[in-house]
Amino acid sequence: MNAALPDVSLTDIAPRLSPLAWVGMQGIDLPITVAEPGYRRELHAHADVQVDLPAPHVKGIHMSRLYRLLDALGQGETLSPAGLRHLLQAMIASHQDCDSRCARLRLNFALLVRRPALVTQGLSGWKSYPVCLDVSLINGVFRCRVRVTAAYSSTCPCSAALSRQIIEQGFLKAFGQQSPVEPTDVAAWLHQHATLATPHSQRSEAQVTVDVPSDADTLGLLALIDCIEQAVGTPVQTAVKRADEQAFAALNGQNLMFVEDAARRIEAALSGYASPSVHVRHLESLHPHDAVAWAGSHA
């Protein structure tokens, strides 16, 4: 018969008697299942999981217990606030011998969503939205908070105004002494010279964080992403043909925005969410640095 294997986390005393705020693991590979209205997909996540260690004499927690409980998320159970709260409760219960009262979990994953082209019927492509999910149960208080990142295009209003001035000056130079001005001549001039100057645009991103109600059926990720993209009006595209590219150019031309405009638009669109926080970043094409803005109660 094999001898019992030693467990020094139980038999040894910590060399220095002091409590620890959090102990656990980071970067655990885990399959998760996300289910939203009209969407269900298994995704690859990286998980961080910890419990508190208030007992100063305990040498170490039981990480294998946390791992095995976390592994239940990889068995097809869909993510929900209720399920995540139950998981945290089980993690705390598994460490009663450590006097643990708190647990937290972070999941980082990318929500993969199929998006249709702007104009071309039947054309679509995949878009990835990074998601960070933080849940905690601290002294009986549960909190579920999600952060999503959505990419969009932004055209600078100042650059557009400067470009329009150059085109206006070119038009007056060409037609200022001509009377009357024939529409066909104007159309021909515009066809050739309307790009005397073009405003600069850049790929941009919005990071939005909100609290999810503990009694919600789902995490509401797709609804939150749609809210952000509708607020900015120019989400980046996947598969496009020329008609879609032209429609995207029109959206940008009719939807000029500074980074401040984007932050305010998104913040206003989040009025129905709890504790919203907005961080927008415009990856400047004019400068080698980014333009950024924050809005919301947790900015």
Side-chain angles (χ1 to χ4, degrees):
M1 180 180 294
N2 293 329
L5 298 176
D7 186 351
V8 296
S9 65
L10 292 176
T11 58
D12 290 13
I13 300 296
R16 181 173 179 176
L17 302 182
S18 61
L20 295 173
W22 297 105
V23 184
M25 295 166 283
Q26 289 184 326
I28 301 171
D29 290 305
L30 187 71
I32 58 170
T33 302
V34 175
E36 306 271 342
Y39 180 92
R40 184 184 178 93
R41 186 165 294 276
E42 186 175 278
L43 303 168
H44 176 201
H46 291 100
D48 305 338
V49 59
Q50 296 101 35
V51 294
D52 65 329
L53 182 55
H57 64 283
V58 174
K59 187 173 182 64
I61 69 165
H62 312 283
M63 298 205 184
S64 62
R65 297 179 187 176
L66 296 183
Y67 189 95
R68 293 177 65 184
L69 288 168
L70 181 64
D71 193 54
L73 284 182
Q75 306 304 314
E77 177 184 350
T78 60
L79 293 183
S80 69
L84 292 167
R85 180 170 189 163
H86 178 75
L87 172 62
L88 296 179
Q89 289 171 332
M91 289 178 174
I92 293 172
S94 73
H95 281 73
Q96 287 185 342
D97 52 353
C98 298
D99 295 336
S100 296
R101 297 183 181 87
C102 306
R104 66 182 184 182
L105 168 67
R106 169 172 288 180
L107 294 174
N108 284 289
F109 57 94
L111 196 69
L112 195 60
V113 184
R114 197 163 189 87
R115 292 302 204 189
L118 284 172
V119 176
T120 305
Q121 295 294 318
L123 183 64
S124 63
W126 293 101
K127 192 190 295 188
S128 177
Y129 299 92
V131 177
C132 179
L133 170 64
D134 282 304
V135 290
S136 61
L137 185 59
I138 299 176
N139 296 321
V141 179
F142 175 74
R143 190 177 194 189
C144 178
R145 193 156 173 82
V146 298
R147 183 182 73 231
V148 300
T149 302
Y152 61 98
S153 177
S154 59
T155 300
C156 176
C158 181
S159 179
L162 295 172
S163 299
R164 289 193 299 267
Q165 184 186 53
I166 291 176
I167 297 169
E168 176 188 18
Q169 292 170 347
F171 182 86
L172 291 175
K173 183 178 180 180
F175 295 99
Q177 303 301 318
Q178 183 176 328
S179 181
V181 177
E182 293 295 331
T184 54
D185 293 338
V186 174
W189 185 90
L190 289 172
H191 183 77
Q192 185 175 359
H193 300 291
T195 54
L196 281 173
T198 58
H200 68 80
S201 300
Q202 51 268 320
R203 186 186 300 171
S204 307
E205 68 175 27
Q207 285 191 342
V208 173
T209 309
V210 299
D211 280 351
V212 179
S214 59
D215 58 352
D217 294 330
T218 70
L219 298 174
L221 300 175
L222 282 177
L224 179 57
I225 291 168
D226 289 342
C227 179
I228 298 167
E229 292 189 337
Q230 290 166 12
V232 294
T234 51
V236 296
Q237 302 297 298
T238 57
V240 297
K241 292 188 176 181
R242 281 177 293 176
D244 307 294
E245 189 171 355
Q246 185 182 59
F248 188 65
L251 280 177
N252 275 272
Q254 299 161 18
N255 198 23
L256 309 175
M257 67 182 111
F258 288 129
V259 69
E260 297 92 336
D261 298 317
R264 288 167 174 147
R265 287 188 195 181
I266 297 171
E267 182 186 29
L270 297 173
S271 60
Y273 287 88
S275 302
S277 175
V278 180
H279 174 214
V280 293
R281 185 164 70 108
H282 289 185
L283 286 69
E284 289 281 332
S285 60
L286 174 64
H287 304 292
H289 54 262
D290 301 337
V292 294
W294 286 262
S297 57
H298 289 76

